[in-house]
Amino acid sequence: MTVSIDPISRDVFQYEAVSVAEEMSMALKGSAFSSIIWDMLDYACGILDVNGNTIAQAETIPAQLGIMPTAVKRIFEVIPLSDWNEGDVIICNDPYFGCTHTLDIVLFSPVYFEGEIIAITSTVAHHIDLGGKVPGTEAADAVEIFEEGLRFPPLKLMDRGEPNQTIFAMIGRNVRDPEACAGDLRAQIAGCRMGERRMKALCQRYGTAQLRALIDASQDYGEAYVRAALAKAEQRENTATTLIEDDATSDEPMKLVVHARIEDDHSLTVDFTGTSEQRQHGINCPVASTIGMTYYAAKVIFSPDVTQNEGCNRPLNIIIPEGCFLNPVAPAAVSVRHLSQQAVADAVLKALTPLQTAQASAGCHVSFPTFTAGGMDDRAKALNHSGEHPYFVICDIISGGMGGHGGGDGLSAIDTHGGHCAILSAEVMETMSPFRVLSTKLVPDSGGAGKHRGGLAITRDYEVLSSTLTLSGYLQQARPETAAWGYAGGGNGAPASAELFAKGTAPKPLTTKFVGLKMSKGDIIRLTGCGGGGWGDPAERDPALIEADRKAGFIL
């Protein structure tokens, strides 16, 4: 039976589906154990059709949302949809099975209505630790993925509503905070279950045939919108090159090459040929993450005002040579892949900017200064309910500046592109770990000069309050040649940095990758993000804006 769908019904349904994903998001956030989820918002929720194509997603982490279709289609190869039962939840976190790094655990759950699967709900969340060589699992100097904690192939975490206790037991014996990991998994399940209930309610309202027609119509509209936008592009073709630091195995930076071309059928080819080969470190990027961030960049330029679904991705043809660091061959390490996938977004946006400048900005901060620390909290009053000093794992992420754009200055102190994470609040960090946040400040003069200047970065100082702990972290855009790029005569943003102030000694600059630092009480670490690039000739900047920046302390 053919069901006719009018545009108003189609659009109403699309926003109903988005509201389902947003309710999933609230359920997950509200029941999570770890601050990286409920305070920093490092998670994602989405709804897929029975073919594994996106119907709708919540406004959370693009880096995780973009991998859902790739992951579930790989899972279908091992667990066909015909083997999914009502009440099942499928778990996977294998980067070589369509996922990101091991810490981002992906769950999928079928939505049944009257004995038939009508949709799939999905949640992804960053778990604070999943084992491996250092607290927090991420290690830039890892050589193989076997150093990066537990890897789950496609398995049933819940089978017809019953939990797989073997998986939970395995987690409990191999991670540093098993209570938080198990609790966060149950929060993800809660998010999936919320989506199931809401999608069943929509099916009850519309009926199965009309629901499927509405899904198809929404995806078809997404495709038509993107093709129409591509047809109006200001130019048809452009190539861009960007660099990011290695500093784990080599001083030689890694190169991303992106050739973007609009074809005669109003499709977009994005070709990464010429990108550096994979290296023996954890900065390699799984192909699903490269695909997801390419989806994101194309959306930013060509369909920012349309709710995202699989139709928006249909006009894209993505070429990623196997063996480059954006499509590594197993068993390459990938735990620090976020640096590379942020660079993917940056490089693709740099290539697409001349094609549609009205939606573009100069280069943004993708420096992502991050640390994870763990150990025994041996402060005198830091005792758990058993009267023992607890083991803790904590993480923080520092923000930077957005690039200036044709409509104005870039935003300051934000996490851009694939991140969309919040900085951890000082109160939460000080409550949950032996760190004191000494200061959090904007960095004057960090935004690139231009008619519209780049946004400002922030810098944050942390003091260690326990006698010993282990800290690892990373950043990029720490050199002038890798910093956020200016556009149309605008200046580059100020580079990012990391410094260690060991108690009683002079400050020591850290490399962009630091693993397993042994910290002592009184040590201070400082992380600073990169400023955004400027847009346009600085000589054309309104003098009144310059004076306002000076009064606000944004420039010196």
Side-chain angles (χ1 to χ4, degrees):
M1 179 180 69
T2 301
V3 179
S4 179
I5 301 296
D6 63 273
I8 293 177
S9 297
R10 176 200 67 208
D11 290 352
V12 167
F13 165 76
Q14 184 66 72
Y15 282 99
E16 287 177 323
V18 169
S19 74
V20 171
E22 293 291 353
E23 285 197 71
M24 293 171 61
S25 175
M26 292 301 98
L28 198 168
K29 175 186 174 183
S31 51
F33 273 48
S34 299
S35 59
I36 195 170
I37 299 175
W38 53 258
D39 194 55
M40 299 174 71
L41 312 180
D42 197 345
Y43 69 95
C45 301
I47 309 162
L48 311 171
D49 65 22
V50 294
N51 297 310
N53 298 318
T54 302
I55 298 172
Q57 57 192 35
E59 289 190 3
T60 45
I61 304 284
Q64 296 171 345
L65 291 165
I67 62 96
M68 289 177 178
T70 305
V72 76
K73 289 171 185 177
R74 289 296 312 275
I75 288 171
F76 286 161
E77 298 172 10
V78 176
I79 309 177
L81 194 62
S82 58
D83 292 343
W84 294 32
N85 303 302
E86 187 164 11
D88 285 357
V89 175
I90 311 299
I91 185 174
C92 187
N93 73 335
D94 191 337
Y96 294 101
F97 236 95
C99 298
T100 63
H101 59 173
T102 54
L103 289 160
D104 285 346
I105 297 181
V106 189
L107 302 186
F108 295 101
S109 181
V111 182
Y112 270 82
F113 183 76
E114 296 180 347
E116 186 177 2
I117 299 178
I118 58 168
I120 298 168
T121 62
S122 180
T123 58
V124 187
H126 181 115
H127 289 247
I128 190 66
D129 180 87
L130 216 62
K133 61 187 288 184
V134 294
T137 305
E138 294 180 300
D141 66 351
V143 175
E144 296 180 319
I145 195 169
F146 307 113
E147 300 174 69
E148 297 179 337
L150 285 170
R151 244 194 317 168
F152 300 108
L155 297 167
K156 289 191 177 184
L157 180 65
M158 302 283 289
D159 190 349
R160 301 176 192 265
E162 293 297 320
N164 185 330
Q165 298 296 352
T166 301
I167 295 177
F168 282 99
M170 181 71 71
I171 290 170
R173 297 296 291 176
N174 285 278
V175 307
R176 293 174 175 85
D177 193 343
E179 182 180 23
C181 188
D184 291 338
L185 274 178
R186 293 187 176 97
Q188 288 186 249
I189 294 170
C192 287
R193 297 297 191 228
M194 175 64 77
E196 291 175 40
R197 290 194 294 272
R198 295 296 183 256
M199 287 303 295
K200 287 180 180 180
L202 285 180
C203 203
Q204 184 73 46
R205 173 181 172 185
Y206 288 115
T208 302
Q210 188 176 10
L211 183 78
R212 286 177 174 159
L214 287 164
I215 292 170
D216 291 343
S218 297
Q219 293 173 342
D220 289 345
Y221 177 72
E223 177 182 3
Y225 187 101
V226 172
R227 290 190 188 276
L230 290 166
K232 297 175 183 177
E234 298 167 29
Q235 68 182 60
R236 296 282 298 273
E237 195 167 356
N238 187 46
T239 299
T241 300
T242 63
L243 300 173
I244 63 170
E245 290 86 354
D246 178 332
D247 290 348
T249 60
S250 171
D251 292 332
E252 180 185 355
M254 296 178 288
K255 180 172 67 174
L256 291 90
V257 179
V258 179
H259 183 70
R261 181 177 64 253
I262 298 175
E263 311 289 0
D264 291 339
D265 64 351
H266 303 147
S267 63
L268 174 66
T269 296
V270 180
D271 188 350
F272 290 91
T273 299
T275 292
S276 297
E277 294 182 355
Q278 69 186 66
R279 298 188 180 180
Q280 286 192 318
H281 56 42
I283 315 166
N284 297 303
C285 185
V287 69
S289 292
T290 304
I291 293 169
M293 294 318 300
T294 305
Y295 287 163
Y296 158 84
K299 175 176 177 53
V300 166
I301 299 297
F302 294 111
S303 59
D305 298 324
V306 175
T307 56
Q308 182 75 357
N309 60 42
E310 192 64 24
C312 299
N313 301 329
R314 289 176 189 165
L316 273 64
N317 175 36
I318 305 172
I319 301 170
I320 313 166
E322 186 177 58
C324 76
F325 80 96
L326 304 180
N327 184 9
V329 177
V334 296
S335 63
V336 185
R337 64 86 183 84
H338 193 75
L339 293 183
S340 297
Q341 70 175 22
Q342 286 285 77
V344 168
D346 180 58
V348 176
L349 285 168
K350 189 175 184 180
L352 295 181
T353 291
L355 278 60
Q356 187 64 281
T357 55
Q359 307 291 355
S361 75
C364 297
H365 126 89
V366 291
S367 51
F368 207 71
T370 300
F371 79 81
T372 304
M376 300 302 296
D377 185 350
D378 60 3
R379 292 175 294 171
K381 294 183 179 180
L383 302 176
N384 61 21
H385 59 274
S386 301
E388 300 172 340
H389 291 288
Y391 193 98
F392 78 94
V393 185
I394 200 76
C395 173
D396 200 11
I397 298 167
I398 300 303
S399 304
M402 173 187 170
H405 49 91
D409 298 339
L411 298 173
S412 298
I414 60 168
D415 189 16
T416 62
H417 302 332
H420 199 52
C421 285
I423 189 171
L424 186 64
S425 71
E427 293 82 1
V428 170
M429 172 160 278
E430 293 172 1
T431 299
M432 302 185 69
S433 73
F435 278 96
R436 177 183 292 125
V437 177
L438 300 178
S439 66
T440 307
K441 301 182 290 188
L442 290 172
V443 182
D445 290 325
S446 57
K451 179 179 179 180
H452 303 296
R453 63 161 172 77
L456 274 59
I458 63 173
T459 184
R460 196 174 220 192
D461 288 0
Y462 311 80
E463 181 184 3
V464 177
L465 302 179
S466 64
S467 62
T468 181
L469 58 83
T470 302
L471 181 145
S472 302
Y474 50 81
L475 66 151
Q476 60 188 22
Q477 292 185 311
R479 306 174 189 175
E481 64 268 27
T482 61
W485 43 273
Y487 186 76
N492 290 355
S497 63
E499 298 170 274
L500 174 63
F501 299 74
K503 188 175 181 180
T505 65
K508 172 189 174 183
L510 296 174
T511 65
T512 63
K513 315 296 180 296
F514 43 96
V515 180
L517 299 182
K518 299 299 182 182
M519 307 285 286
S520 299
K521 185 176 181 179
D523 290 350
I524 294 171
I525 185 168
R526 173 177 296 164
L527 297 181
T528 304
C530 180
W535 181 284
D537 186 348
E540 297 180 12
R541 186 161 178 78
D542 186 340
L545 294 176
I546 296 175
E547 182 59 25
D549 281 348
R550 186 170 287 111
K551 287 182 177 180
F554 295 164
I555 59 175
L556 300 177

